[in-house]
Amino acid sequence: MKHVELAIIGGGPAGLAAAAAARRNGVEDILIIERDSRLGGILNQCIHAGFGLHTFGQELSGPEYAQRFIDQVAELSIPCLLDTMVLDLSEERILTVTSRTEGLQQIKADAVILAMGCRERPRGALNIPGTRPSGIWSAGTAQRLVNMEGVMPGREVVILGSGDIGLIMARRMTMEGAKVHAVAEVMPYSGGLKRNIVQCLDDFDIPLFLSTTVVEIHGRKKLEGVTLAQVDERRRPIPGTERYIPCDTLLLSVGLLPENELSAGANVALSPITGGPVVGEDLSTSIPGVFACGNVLHVHDLVDFVSQEATLAGEAAARYLSAGESQAETIPLLAEGGVRYTVPQFIHRDTTENVTVRFRVGQPYRNAAVCVYVNDQLLRRIPKRVLAPGEMEKVILRPADLPAEGGSIRFCIEEGTN
Ligand SMILES: Cc1cc2nc3c(=O)[nH]c(=O)nc-3n(C[C@H](O)[C@H](O)[C@H](O)COP(=O)(O)OP(=O)(O)OC[C@H]3O[C@@H](n4cnc5c(N)ncnc54)[C@H](O)[C@@H]3O)c2cc1C
């Protein structure tokens, strides 16, 4: 069986940044395994600008951003297996991989970084009534068709879901000559970034219908139209509010799911909220020597944060390979009162670095405060004019903030006290 010190599953922005950080921290024997024929992950199809403002202070396209990290990996001479799919990961960190040229192989790794990204939620997960004609695509598939294959999926478009990919595709389809009739969002607020609503919908006069969903799909072989209806607070369609929109294309942008089949197979503990592994501040999972970063850990809004997080995972894997696992006591981070989750979910007491805790809120808030309690004592109160589920928030904890022994750190939103 082949052996490597550090195997990285996925050659997207997370895997690339983790690999570069691990090499810079002394790991010689690294292998990136990527199922696609090129590195860069999903960024290869994101040809719009807006990437890298935090990392490089420049507005780059997705492929330009990815190329900066591909170049680093090349300069550091880190080997990559392309066109190679990891089929299985065991608790003992044995990877089963397959490729056309090499067939089935097993690789034993001393440490593994999970960087498999996420996939889009499909129509089957939504139970939309009606026929099953052609013309219904996930927004990401349409993005790939238009930006990489040069194919327009259709001309008369309705988009269901206001996640960032749907918003970006509303603008992209319009720029390619399609008519985007509406973006329908079942929730009373958008799931995307405010800047994308302004730049992708408002600037192109594309209406966003909130509290609205598709209640029927029309057309036998090809999509002919959809019926939209408003929904009540329990997301049930309100009779009498239906409206028919003729269209040949329905794009679904209804959420991303971290790709954790391999993690589950290796018995990595997963969070039911994020869908990703439960991790400490060093991004270590419940399986010793297995780390996670990027969209496989939790869905990010900006790739810059993916790169920051992945750098930490690479550094932590290097530390694990030279010094072993931290045996220190762990302090749980609790997400309560409006905070849906935190990443990390726990902190090792012996940490000597500041810890960036990222989280999302479960609903929009105005004039509220993010509060952090250590053993029920208020540690920090951060007033926020607006908090939205589409925007990832962060709080930085210092080692001095950690409770002396036992206890926990609690994150919550408090309203009306600004
Ligand atoms: C369709 C889509 C469009 C997006 N558009 C934008 C956007 O416009 N702007 C933005 O800021 N963010 C966008 N995102 C978010 C973006 O994915 C992240 O910011 C970033 O790309 C996450 O990096 P990652 O490395 O974690 O995941 P990815 O970029 O998804 O990379 C994961 C890599 O792992 C590989 N992989 C997965 N499983 C295996 C396996 N079993 N074996 C081998 N390789 C494997 C995949 O092929 C992929 O290359 C989009 C996401 C999606 C899904």
Side-chain angles (χ1 to χ4, degrees):
M1 190 185 304
K2 195 173 163 175
H3 171 262
V4 292
E5 260 189 294
L6 174 61
I8 298 180
I9 309 177
L16 294 169
R23 171 58 57 81
R24 291 195 180 106
N25 282 271
V27 186
E28 280 303 317
D29 185 16
I30 304 176
L31 182 62
I32 300 175
I33 306 165
E34 168 55 55
R35 66 185 171 194
D36 210 337
S37 54
R38 62 174 104 177
L39 296 171
I42 210 82
L43 291 191
N44 287 319
Q45 66 185 59
C46 302
I47 64 169
H48 55 278
F51 298 87
L53 274 171
H54 296 260
T55 312
F56 300 111
Q58 273 178 290
E59 264 208 88
L60 304 172
S61 68
E64 284 171 331
Y65 184 94
Q67 194 61 45
R68 302 255 172 135
F69 287 90
I70 294 171
D71 291 346
Q72 287 180 32
V73 162
E75 278 158 23
L76 293 165
S77 306
I78 299 172
C80 308
L81 279 182
L82 295 177
D83 291 314
T84 305
M85 173 99 180
V86 179
L87 297 177
D88 185 61
L89 170 67
S90 76
E91 248 178 280
E92 295 71 35
R93 300 183 303 270
I94 296 171
L95 289 79
T96 306
V97 309
T98 184
S99 72
R100 262 172 206 266
T101 48
E102 302 297 322
L104 206 62
Q105 300 178 67
Q106 285 201 312
I107 302 170
K108 165 80 184 158
D110 296 335
V112 172
I113 297 181
L114 306 170
M116 293 91 78
C118 58
R119 62 169 182 270
E120 295 176 283
R121 189 170 278 138
R123 176 186 174 184
L126 298 179
N127 293 327
I128 308 172
T131 50
R132 308 191 74 77
S134 64
I136 304 173
W137 309 84
S138 75
T141 306
Q143 190 179 46
R144 187 181 172 98
L145 284 174
V146 176
N147 293 349
M148 293 181 78
E149 321 279 339
V151 175
M152 276 291 275
R155 296 276 158 194
E156 303 290 329
V157 184
V158 170
I159 299 180
L160 176 60
S162 61
D164 288 314
I165 308 168
L167 300 176
I168 282 162
M169 281 313 290
R171 175 176 66 183
R172 188 79 187 104
M173 295 293 282
T174 306
M175 288 164 93
E176 288 298 327
K179 170 76 185 159
V180 179
H181 295 275
V183 175
E185 168 59 60
V186 74
M187 301 303 283
Y189 49 83
S190 164
L193 292 170
K194 179 77 185 156
R195 78 168 196 207
N196 282 335
I197 295 177
V198 174
Q199 294 173 4
C200 301
L201 300 189
D202 298 353
D203 287 357
F204 292 85
D205 288 330
I206 299 168
L208 169 63
F209 298 131
L210 297 174
S211 300
T212 300
T213 193
V214 173
V215 289
E216 191 159 1
I217 285 171
H218 305 269
R220 285 240 149 258
K221 285 198 162 160
K222 288 187 167 186
L223 181 67
E224 289 167 9
V226 297
T227 302
L228 301 184
Q230 289 169 25
V231 297
D232 63 17
E233 59 288 347
R234 293 177 62 193
R235 285 184 251 160
R236 290 171 309 197
I238 302 171
T241 64
E242 297 87 357
R243 80 178 90 173
Y244 175 74
I245 302 183
C247 60
D248 58 19
T249 306
L250 174 65
L251 301 187
L252 304 177
S253 176
V254 288
L256 298 170
L257 304 168
E259 289 261 13
N260 275 299
E261 285 69 19
L262 292 177
S263 323
N267 286 328
V268 170
L270 299 176
S271 154
I273 311 289
T274 59
V278 172
V279 290
E281 83 296 340
D282 57 354
L283 303 176
S284 58
T285 69
S286 60
I287 303 292
V290 177
F291 300 80
C293 56
N295 274 1
V296 80
L297 179 55
H298 60 137
V299 175
H300 292 66
D301 42 16
L302 293 177
V303 71
D304 302 70
F305 302 146
V306 169
S307 306
Q308 288 171 13
E309 190 181 88
T311 300
L312 275 184
E315 291 166 358
R319 250 190 336 269
Y320 170 85
L321 287 167
S322 62
E325 203 189 355
S326 167
Q327 299 299 322
E329 185 198 357
T330 59
I331 302 159
L333 305 189
L334 309 175
E336 292 181 2
V339 174
R340 285 194 65 224
Y341 68 84
T342 67
V343 170
Q345 286 92 346
F346 62 90
I347 297 180
H348 290 94
R349 186 175 299 285
D350 62 353
T351 187
T352 53
E353 305 282 333
N354 286 351
V355 177
T356 302
V357 180
R358 300 191 197 277
F359 62 92
R360 284 180 195 268
V361 292
Q363 61 173 75
Y365 292 93
R366 282 197 172 274
N367 300 322
V370 174
C371 295
V372 184
Y373 288 86
V374 173
N375 288 343
D376 289 332
Q377 291 259 323
L378 182 64
L379 170 73
R380 210 159 298 152
R381 186 171 184 289
I382 307 158
K384 293 271 178 182
R385 210 168 52 78
V386 178
L387 286 160
E391 317 255 346
M392 203 155 71
E393 298 288 337
K394 72 171 180 189
V395 169
I396 296 177
L397 296 179
R398 296 163 304 201
D401 295 333
L402 305 183
E405 58 186 59
S408 59
I409 304 181
R410 183 161 62 86
F411 292 74
C412 61
I413 306 300
E414 292 181 4
E415 289 184 88
T417 47
N418 283 355

